[in-house]
Amino acid sequence: MTIPEDLLDEIRADAAERGLSAYVAEALRFKRDRDRLQELVGWLQEEHGPVTEDERTSARDELGNLDAEHERRQAMRKHKGGEAA
């Protein structure tokens, strides 16, 4: 397996505590799960038809809300971490 050096450096920094092998294993599981989800989406679209633009917009809005909540919680965690230092 060949991994570009710049990407490997980033991964090593992110994976410091759990280790490179655990990080790569987790990434591969994530990719496998995503591939299976894509397969399921294909089956569901065959059975129920394609996703409408309204459904797509609603899903994007919900994901945007989840991303905003994630960022808010990360900021709170960083702020609390700064207070403890």
Side-chain angles (χ1 to χ4, degrees):
M1 173 174 26
T2 303
I3 301 173
E5 195 63 36
D6 60 327
L7 178 59
L8 193 54
D9 290 342
E10 282 184 46
I11 291 170
R12 282 188 177 122
D14 290 344
E17 287 185 25
R18 52 190 163 156
L20 184 60
S21 292
Y23 187 96
V24 170
E26 183 180 335
L28 290 172
R29 280 189 195 93
F30 179 82
K31 173 66 170 126
R32 181 207 53 209
D33 291 348
R34 188 169 173 87
D35 289 347
R36 287 179 178 173
L37 184 58
Q38 279 298 122
E39 186 175 30
L40 174 61
V41 166
W43 293 339
L44 291 172
Q45 285 186 344
E46 285 175 14
E47 187 173 331
H48 301 285
V51 176
T52 67
E53 194 54 42
D54 286 344
E55 292 167 329
R56 195 177 308 274
T57 298
S58 177
R60 285 188 182 125
D61 289 346
E62 193 168 332
L63 286 172
N65 292 338
L66 289 170
D67 286 343
E69 178 65 13
H70 180 261
E71 289 175 15
R72 183 187 71 79
R73 288 179 183 227
Q74 277 188 319
M76 284 179 50
R77 184 176 299 142
K78 286 179 184 177
H79 178 72
K80 286 181 180 179
E83 290 176 355

